[in-house]
Amino acid sequence: MSTTIELAQELISCPSVTPDDAGCQPLLAKRLEAMGFTIEYLRFGDVDNFWARRGDTTPVFAFAGHTDVVPTGPETQWTIPPFNAEVRDGFIHGRGAADMKGSIAAMVTACERFIADNNSHQGSIAFLITSDEEGPADDGTVKVIETLEARGEKIDWCLVGEPTSSKHVGDVVKNGRRGSLNGTLIVHGQQGHVAYPQLANNPIHSFASALNELVTTKWDQGNEFFPPTSFQISNIHAGTGATNVIPGDLEVIFNLRYSSELTAEAIKSRVESILAKYEQKYSLEWSLSGEPFITGKGELLNATTEAIHSITSRTAEINTAGGTSDGRFIAPTGAQVLELGPLNATIHQVNECVSTQDLDTLSAIYEKILENLLVKES
């Protein structure tokens, strides 16, 4: 097996359910130190992170990734135990194989080969690794970026190893993500007996018209980078469980994935105006997961698409679909940020796996990106 697959196996064997790193980062740091990287461990709360850098000049190219994984679910449902990291029939199996320990392994081995051939490359290479991406993400990448910003250390180009590919490795590159705004709404009514509705105020009934307007509103038309903004209710609850009691409150949890045509403040104002229109008595708490970001044409996108074509002969699709990523914390610093990783077909599923050939191809693509950006043409 290749060094990429061997390293991926070592990482997958660590049961690093968020936020526990379970030994992944020391393993990675040892490999990076051997290449001349300086490692800075940055622990915040219960979260392990590190910033590794080789070189002290600009431009700075950074690989970004996470060692934490989502829970496995019932291990009895897995064909191969989730932390055995077994290779079978051309696939490496285990939690994190695709999301995203395979990508991290490919990044490290790409650097090993690149540095062996280009010891005096231009600029600097860096790694930003966290164990708090699958969890709240409060003490991970965002805190590392705050640390770097406080001392004026900037990333010029950043490649995040999220599993972006659809059918073939390298067929999709993410050049941005939609914003994500969460709301927890409590509509206040008056509890009472269903036989005496005149003595109560049913919050489900009073909210019905406002609900209809919220879910049918056309928030925007999107733009060339983003689809139209989407409003989705993820949870709704009211009642005591009894059939003869009008509930006193109604809880509605919702999310808006929004384009760069809107801001979080504009969305909040619009939602609250709809609630006011229908004279709702309510409490509302907002939580912003991230603002939308986009990386347009430039050095990083050119280097990445050229590398994919050079290694696979494919022309990558560039889009912003999917959920949020830690790129949302890096892009606001002015860095160009892209996401490129293996197939996402099995991420967060039982029997997560990734093709060993795909990981080797991905590592070759990463190496070519480094060459395109950090090797001066003679």
Side-chain angles (χ1 to χ4, degrees):
M1 289 184 292
S2 69
T3 55
T4 300
I5 304 309
E6 290 173 350
L7 179 55
Q9 285 185 295
E10 289 185 80
L11 293 171
I12 295 166
S13 296
C14 301
S16 55
V17 177
T18 189
D20 185 4
D21 174 68
C24 292
Q25 291 182 24
L27 189 159
L28 293 169
K30 183 178 180 180
R31 295 284 284 260
L32 294 173
E33 284 177 325
M35 289 183 268
F37 282 82
T38 299
I39 312 298
E40 183 179 2
Y41 291 100
L42 297 164
R43 184 174 174 86
F44 301 102
D46 295 327
V47 175
D48 290 304
N49 312 280
F50 74 74
W51 169 251
R53 180 165 172 170
R54 184 183 195 273
D56 55 9
T57 60
T58 60
V60 178
F61 175 91
F63 286 111
H66 61 90
T67 54
D68 60 319
V69 299
V70 296
T72 64
E75 293 195 18
T76 55
Q77 295 182 10
W78 288 70
T79 303
I80 298 170
F83 299 113
N84 276 24
E86 183 177 327
V87 174
R88 183 183 297 182
D89 299 325
F91 285 81
I92 182 169
H93 296 257
R95 176 58 84 224
D99 188 13
M100 56 177 286
K101 293 179 177 181
S103 297
I104 293 176
M107 293 170 177
V108 171
T109 57
C111 281
E112 288 174 337
R113 295 190 306 274
F114 173 76
I115 291 169
D117 293 337
N118 303 277
N119 187 58
S120 300
H121 59 79
Q122 292 179 285
S124 301
I125 306 172
F127 278 75
L128 195 170
I129 304 296
T130 182
S131 62
D132 184 34
E133 196 274 348
E134 299 291 7
D138 293 330
D139 292 317
T141 298
V142 62
K143 289 290 181 66
V144 177
I145 289 297
E146 288 173 0
T147 300
L148 298 179
E149 285 287 288
R151 65 191 187 210
E153 190 170 0
K154 292 284 189 179
I155 297 170
D156 296 285
W157 304 307
C158 183
L159 192 64
V160 185
E162 289 294 339
T164 60
S165 300
S166 178
K167 296 180 179 179
H168 305 282
V169 66
D171 62 359
V172 177
V173 173
K174 306 291 185 185
N175 68 328
R177 295 283 186 162
R178 294 174 292 176
S180 179
L181 180 64
N182 307 289
T184 301
L185 171 69
I186 307 294
V187 181
H188 303 295
Q190 175 64 51
Q191 185 174 305
H193 197 294
V194 295
Y196 301 95
Q198 72 277 13
L199 300 178
N201 176 19
N202 194 320
I204 301 174
H205 296 184
S206 67
F207 183 60
S209 296
L211 172 61
N212 181 66
E213 183 163 341
L214 286 168
V215 300
T216 58
T217 290
K218 302 297 183 184
W219 299 88
D220 59 28
Q221 300 301 315
N223 55 37
E224 63 176 315
F225 300 113
F226 296 99
T229 294
S230 168
F231 176 97
Q232 294 293 321
I233 290 177
S234 57
N235 203 312
I236 189 165
H237 175 77
T240 63
T243 60
N244 60 350
V245 179
I246 293 171
D249 291 319
L250 169 69
E251 181 184 64
V252 182
I253 300 174
F254 60 89
N255 174 271
L256 290 105
R257 295 298 168 104
Y258 63 99
S259 78
S260 54
E261 295 295 305
L262 292 173
T263 65
E265 293 307 313
I267 293 171
K268 292 178 185 180
S269 177
R270 195 165 178 184
V271 168
E272 290 166 5
S273 69
I274 291 172
L275 295 173
K277 174 181 176 181
Y278 293 98
E279 300 180 343
Q280 299 297 290
K281 185 179 180 182
Y282 68 90
S283 305
L284 177 55
E285 292 186 0
W286 295 101
S287 173
L288 179 65
S289 296
E291 294 278 9
F293 68 91
I294 193 75
T295 292
K297 294 179 180 179
E299 303 96 339
L300 182 59
L301 187 57
N302 291 341
T304 300
T305 54
E306 191 283 329
I308 291 169
H309 190 269
S310 175
I311 300 299
T312 70
S313 299
R314 297 189 186 96
T315 299
E317 175 187 344
I318 313 300
N319 69 45
T320 61
T324 59
S325 78
D326 275 2
R328 70 190 188 272
F329 303 125
I330 302 166
T333 67
Q336 296 177 34
V337 179
L338 296 180
E339 299 171 29
L340 171 62
L343 271 63
N344 54 28
T346 63
I347 60 173
H348 292 206
Q349 296 182 18
V350 168
N351 294 325
E352 180 180 350
C353 62
V354 67
S355 161
T356 56
Q357 182 176 347
D358 282 355
L359 287 188
D360 287 333
T361 300
L362 184 64
S363 184
I365 293 171
Y366 289 159
E367 181 184 5
K368 184 62 176 175
I369 293 170
L370 289 168
E371 292 175 3
N372 290 345
L373 290 171
L374 300 181
V375 176
K376 184 181 295 184
E377 294 183 5
S378 56

